[in-house]
């Protein structure tokens, strides 16, 4: 288990920016220490625990990048075409012997270059005259060849510790001949929802009750990030019951994630429950939707283990937004990788908007192409943080920084695709 301190989350009473929250999350938060070696095809989404040095050069030998004719550049005429007899043929996977001066060799993509050859003409750029090939002028020395180690020399760092494995990095590891890699173990997360007003899907609805969607949102997002998730259900609005459940969940988990009950109302019991069994910092993020986020540390019974705690707001859209900007980077650090802010794309606003200065707001928008071909952001007609269809009927969020107070149609705004936030 990661050794955490409540000091890592310490914060005063003012609103906290997303950047400040991210800095506090990343500062000194230790990743999970345990590692495991997994087959290469099981490594997708896992975080490398150690650097990988190239055991061989990539490519391992000097080879042709195209189908064509290998020659010595020194044999080419200074001006005009060059005629050379064709002597030999080198397909991919075969060996190549040294080549005499003054001849060309038929060669195929990936085949080793004959000793002495240093340039390849593409087959579509030459003409054949019996057993002679006619080569055009203008090709540079070394054209259409791949030197040994052009991609990576043997011994060079191929992938660094903390890198999240992807299909691209798996391809590189396979090209280097690796069959398995050492990764950090998955982060273990316990998930609760809270509130007497919610019930699980499949349960009959009582009077004034709602089906719980937040627990499903959080679990789906966590699994996309490679976490091992334990669904611990719904906690009632009872401080003692919440405290006992949180304390028990701290054993065997790195993070406890809840939704609801983290504000300061009379029926918001999570804050008091966490303080009863652990330590808590209450954050008010300067964002909308969102704002109340609780963070802290909860020791497991016996004191040998502990878990980080994050309590998200109760409204579904606020859960999504605060997960993207708090939980996602927190989980990334716990997993041993470096959190990075998603790169926003510039689009044209097709809506007017007013907001308060000093607060960052996220507006749910759909994209469309304007009459002039420029991508436009169309605001969803309903702003409520409980309107789940405002997420399903849009493509992403327009991010409006703290200083902005108004947006006029036609202005350029920053768009964050949902694909970058989950």
């Amino acid at each position: 288990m990661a050794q955490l301190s409540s000091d890592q989350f310490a914060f005063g009473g003012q609103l906290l920016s997303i950047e400040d929250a991210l800095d506090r999350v990343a500062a000194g938060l230790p990743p999970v220490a345990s590692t495991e070696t997994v087959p290469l095809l099981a490594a997708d989404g896992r975080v490398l625990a150690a650097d990988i040095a190239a055991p061989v050069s990539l490519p391992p030998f000097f080879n042709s990048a195209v189908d064509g004719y290998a020659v010595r550049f020194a044999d080419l005429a200074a001006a005009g075409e060059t005629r050379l007899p064709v002597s030999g043929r080198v397909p991919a996977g075969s060996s190549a012997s040294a080549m005499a001066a003054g001849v060309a060799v038929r060669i195929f993509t990936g085949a080793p270059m004959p000793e002495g050859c240093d340039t390849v003409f593409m087959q579509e750029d030459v003409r054949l005259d019996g057993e002679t090939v006619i080569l055009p002028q203008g090709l540079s020395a070394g054209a259409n060849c791949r030197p040994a180690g052009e991609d990576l020399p043997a011994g060079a760092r191929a992938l660094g510790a903390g890198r999240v494995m992807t299909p691209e990095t798996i391809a590189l590891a396979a090209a280097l001949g690796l069959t398995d890699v050492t990764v950090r173990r998955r982060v273990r997360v316990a998930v609760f929802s809270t509130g007497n007003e919610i019930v699980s899907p499949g349960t009959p609805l009582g009077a004034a009750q709602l089906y719980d969607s937040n627990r499903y949102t959080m679990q789906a997002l966590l699994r996309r990030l490679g976490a091992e998730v334990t669904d611990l259900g719904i906690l009632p609005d009872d401080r003692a019951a919440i405290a006992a459940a949180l304390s028990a969940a701290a054993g065997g988990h790195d993070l406890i994630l809840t939704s609801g009950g983290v504000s300061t109302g009379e029926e918001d019991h999570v804050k008091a429950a966490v303080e009863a069994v652990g330590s808590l910092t209450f954050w008010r993020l300067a964002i909308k939707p969102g704002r109340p986020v609780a963070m802290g540390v909860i020791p497991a019974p016996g004191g040998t283990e502990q878990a980080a705690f994050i309590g998200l707001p109760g409204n579904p859209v606020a859960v999504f937004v605060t997960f993207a900007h708090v939980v996602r980077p927190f989980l990334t650090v716990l997993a041993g990788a470096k959190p990075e802010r998603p790169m926003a794309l510039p689009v044209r606003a097709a809506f007017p908007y007013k907001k308060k200065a000093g607060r960052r707001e996220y507006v749910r928008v759909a994209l469309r192409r304007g009459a002039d071909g420029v991508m436009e952001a169309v605001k969803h007609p309903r702003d409520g943080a409980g309107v789940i269809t405002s997420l399903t009927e849009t493509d992403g969020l327009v991010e409006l920084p703290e200083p902005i107070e108004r947006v006029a149609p036609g202005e350029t705004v920053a768009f964050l695709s949902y694909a970058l936030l989950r």
Side-chain angles (χ1 to χ4, degrees), residues 33-70:
S34 302
T35 65
E36 58 184 347
T37 299
V38 300
L40 190 56
L41 286 177
D44 189 27
R46 305 296 297 273
V47 178
L48 283 180
D51 290 352
I52 293 178
V56 296
S57 293
L58 187 64
F61 55 89
F62 188 30
N63 68 91
S64 175
V66 298
D67 292 348
Y69 294 84

Side-chain angles (χ1 to χ4, degrees), residues 43-139:
D44 189 27
R46 305 296 297 273
V47 178
L48 283 180
D51 290 352
I52 293 178
V56 296
S57 293
L58 187 64
F61 55 89
F62 188 30
N63 68 91
S64 175
V66 298
D67 292 348
Y69 294 84
V71 301
R72 298 172 184 262
F73 186 78
D75 290 337
L76 301 179
E81 296 180 334
T82 300
R83 298 175 66 95
L84 294 175
V86 178
S87 175
R89 184 174 184 274
V90 186
S94 66
S95 58
S97 56
M99 188 187 76
V103 300
V105 173
R106 180 74 167 117
I107 198 167
F108 297 86
T109 303
M113 292 285 287
E115 185 180 343
C117 290
D118 56 11
T119 304
V120 177
F121 283 82
M122 297 176 66
Q123 62 187 18
E124 54 264 41
D125 293 337
V126 306
R127 305 194 318 274
L128 291 175
D129 182 8
E131 297 300 316
T132 298
V133 63
I134 302 168
L135 309 169
Q137 66 174 355
L139 199 65

Side-chain angles (χ1 to χ4, degrees), residues 108-396:
F108 297 86
T109 303
M113 292 285 287
E115 185 180 343
C117 290
D118 56 11
T119 304
V120 177
F121 283 82
M122 297 176 66
Q123 62 187 18
E124 54 264 41
D125 293 337
V126 306
R127 305 194 318 274
L128 291 175
D129 182 8
E131 297 300 316
T132 298
V133 63
I134 302 168
L135 309 169
Q137 66 174 355
L139 199 65
S140 301
N144 301 316
C145 297
R146 295 185 288 218
E150 177 188 48
D151 199 346
L152 274 175
R157 188 176 80 157
L159 296 168
R163 183 75 177 263
V164 179
M165 294 296 286
T166 63
E168 297 86 352
T169 57
I170 288 173
L172 177 58
L176 294 171
L178 302 179
T179 59
D180 50 49
V181 293
T182 300
V183 296
R184 294 190 184 274
R185 70 157 171 81
R186 296 184 187 275
V187 178
R188 298 166 184 155
V189 185
V191 176
F192 292 101
S193 287
T194 66
N196 293 335
E197 77 280 12
I198 56 174
V199 297
S200 292
T203 303
L205 281 176
Q209 286 188 317
L210 303 169
Y211 285 124
D212 177 18
S213 66
N214 290 344
R215 210 165 83 253
Y216 290 82
T217 301
M218 294 187 295
Q219 289 184 75
L221 290 168
L222 288 166
R223 288 194 170 96
R224 280 177 173 255
L225 294 174
E228 287 184 5
V229 183
T230 306
D231 180 3
L232 295 178
I234 300 171
L235 297 177
D237 286 326
D238 178 273
R239 191 183 86 168
I242 295 173
L246 294 178
S247 179
H253 293 101
D254 305 295
L255 172 64
I256 300 171
L257 183 63
T258 68
S259 70
V262 295
S263 191
T264 55
E266 293 180 10
E267 294 301 321
D268 293 316
H269 299 287
V270 173
K271 181 176 183 291
V274 175
E275 290 175 326
V277 294
S279 56
L280 179 88
T281 296
F282 182 64
W283 282 5
R284 295 170 64 237
L285 296 182
I287 63 172
K288 181 183 177 182
R291 197 169 71 171
V293 175
M295 302 189 74
V297 178
I298 300 176
T304 59
E305 293 183 315
Q306 59 180 355
F309 169 81
I310 300 179
L312 300 182
N315 283 316
V317 178
V319 165
F320 183 88
V321 172
T322 52
F323 186 102
H325 293 293
V326 177
V327 180
R328 193 174 193 276
F330 189 96
L331 197 71
T332 300
V333 174
L334 270 183
K338 180 180 178 181
E340 295 182 357
R341 290 269 294 148
M343 184 177 296
L345 299 177
V347 299
R348 185 169 62 201
F351 59 92
Y353 196 80
K354 291 197 305 182
K355 63 177 281 291
K356 292 182 180 179
R359 181 174 69 188
R360 189 170 307 186
E361 296 199 12
Y362 291 92
V363 182
R364 286 145 275 172
V365 299
L367 293 184
R368 71 182 183 195
R369 194 171 296 279
D372 57 358
V374 175
M375 294 304 296
E376 294 182 333
V378 180
K379 179 182 171 297
H380 194 272
R382 288 168 291 172
D383 291 326
V387 181
I388 300 177
T389 53
S390 68
L391 294 174
T392 62
E393 295 173 358
T394 54
D395 301 304

Side-chain angles (χ1 to χ4, degrees), residues 3-5 8 23-31 333:
Q3 293 301 305
L4 304 165
S5 166
Q8 293 168 243
D23 289 343
R24 291 170 188 270
V25 164
L29 179 63
V333 174

